[in-house]
């Protein structure tokens, strides 16, 4: 039986350190710093007095926070991973501070947990994690392709382009193109395995092909984290906004663009 958290710990995650903050019985703050590596994470987990009634709150910081998140989940410790936009306004409004430090951010995250009781993070399926890595690879390859294409375009205007440079750049561009195609095919293959029937359902919608289907399912964890279509529309960023207050402020509404780009 899951126990209700009584201690909320905020962690500000950086490349090298974890700044941990929580409130004591007298409402004063305890702030500790651990190294952001396997040893530091193990020391932090070992320092928890009552892990069953503890919930850790942190912001999503990509690869810097994932080792910590997975270690906490493996230790059956509740952890919530916030979108930075969720916590930024709360921290600025609650702490009313003109300064920003790692310690203050960690305290603000702990307060966010106490007030809002956010959902706990659920570790995605291994295949979903593989797809995310493949997606990142495709993005990097596309950047390389763009850069190589720009180089070839610039060489075409050179009065005496070096044949070796042109050939090497062309070969690298062709290799990059082939790697993009190969990786995208692998993404579709793994996506079909990861999402099973959901992938086929998404593709059955008119106008939704394999690339968009896997992007939607990856971004939304196969729609498992949403109770209705309104939540999904807001998360993606296609819902209308309203800007009105009293009788004097009547701004024109627009489509919210706060979703995953």
């Amino acid at each position: 039986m899951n126990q209700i958290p009584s201690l909320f710990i905020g962690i500000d995650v950086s490349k090298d350190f974890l700044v941990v903050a929580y409130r004591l019985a007298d409402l004063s703050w305890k702030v500790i710093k651990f190294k952001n590596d396997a040893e530091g994470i193990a020391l932090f987990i070992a320092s928890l007095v009552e892990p069953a009634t503890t919930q850790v709150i942190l912001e999503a910081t990509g690869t810097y926070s994932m080792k910590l998140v997975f270690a906490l989940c493996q230790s059956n410790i509740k952890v919530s991973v916030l979108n930075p936009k969720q916590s930024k306004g709360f921290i600025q409004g609650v702490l009313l501070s003109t300064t920003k430090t790692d310690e203050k951010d960690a305290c603000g995250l702990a307060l966010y947990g106490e007030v809002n009781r956010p959902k706990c993070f659920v570790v995605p399926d291994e295949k979903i994690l593989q797809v995310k890595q493949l997606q990142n690879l495709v993005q990097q390859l596309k950047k390389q392709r763009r850069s190589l294409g720009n180089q070839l375009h610039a060489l075409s205007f050179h009065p005496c382009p070096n044949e070796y440079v042109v050939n090497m750049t062309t070969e690298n561009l062709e290799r990059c193109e082939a790697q993009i195609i190969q990786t995208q095919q692998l993404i579709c293959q793994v996506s079909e395995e990861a999402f099973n029937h959901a992938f086929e359902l998404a593709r059955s919608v008119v106008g939704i092909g394999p690339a968009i289907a896997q992007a939607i399912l990856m971004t939304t964890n196969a729609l498992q984290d949403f109770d209705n279509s309104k939540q999904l529309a807001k998360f993606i960023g296609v819902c209308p906004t309203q800007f009105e207050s009293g009788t004097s402020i009547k701004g024109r509404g627009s489509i919210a663009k706060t979703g995953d780009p």
Side-chain angles (χ1 to χ4, degrees), residues 114-141:
E114 292 180 13
V115 173
N116 295 293
R117 307 292 174 113
K119 285 185 177 181
C120 293
F121 178 83
V122 178
V123 178
D125 183 86
E126 184 179 347
K127 290 187 181 297
I128 295 179
L129 297 176
Q130 291 179 15
V131 173
K132 287 185 177 180
Q133 294 179 65
L134 291 169
Q135 283 182 320
N136 291 335
L137 176 60
V138 168
Q139 291 177 0
Q140 294 302 317
L141 288 171

Side-chain angles (χ1 to χ4, degrees), residues 7-34:
L7 175 64
F8 292 87
I9 299 178
I11 301 183
D12 184 84
V13 180
S14 66
K15 179 171 67 72
D16 297 316
F17 294 102
L18 306 172
V19 178
V20 176
Y22 57 92
R23 288 208 283 188
L24 301 174
D26 61 358
L27 300 184
S28 63
W29 286 99
K30 178 75 172 181
V31 179
I32 314 172
K33 183 181 286 188
F34 297 89

Side-chain angles (χ1 to χ4, degrees), residues 242-251:
Q242 189 174 5
F243 188 72
E244 295 181 0
S245 179
T247 58
S248 59
I249 299 178
K250 291 186 178 180

Side-chain angles (χ1 to χ4, degrees), residues 28-72:
S28 63
W29 286 99
K30 178 75 172 181
V31 179
I32 314 172
K33 183 181 286 188
F34 297 89
K35 285 188 176 181
N36 189 5
D37 56 21
E39 183 180 355
I41 292 171
L43 287 173
F44 164 65
I45 293 176
S47 70
L48 299 177
V49 179
E50 296 182 2
T53 56
T54 297
Q55 184 168 345
V56 176
I57 317 295
L58 53 89
E59 291 180 344
T61 54
T63 54
Y64 293 150
S65 60
M66 289 313 294
K67 279 188 177 181
L68 171 62
V69 171
F70 274 63
L72 290 169

Side-chain angles (χ1 to χ4, degrees), residues 145-217:
R145 180 178 65 181
R146 190 180 306 113
S147 176
L148 292 168
N150 291 339
Q151 291 177 38
L152 276 178
H153 184 262
L155 285 169
S156 67
F157 286 91
H158 201 284
C160 50
N162 185 289
E163 183 179 357
Y164 175 80
V165 174
V166 173
N167 290 339
M168 286 297 295
T169 305
T170 303
E171 288 180 13
N172 288 335
L173 180 58
E174 292 174 349
R175 186 182 302 111
C176 189
E177 289 276 9
Q179 290 174 340
I180 290 174
I181 294 173
Q182 182 180 0
T183 307
Q184 287 177 332
Q185 290 174 344
L186 185 56
I187 287 176
C188 288
Q189 177 185 336
V190 179
S191 294
E192 290 180 10
E193 298 172 357
F195 300 118
N196 298 321
H197 189 49
F199 189 74
E200 292 304 318
L201 284 176
R203 291 186 60 183
S204 69
V205 178
V206 177
I208 301 296
I212 297 179
Q214 67 87 13
I216 291 174
L217 294 175

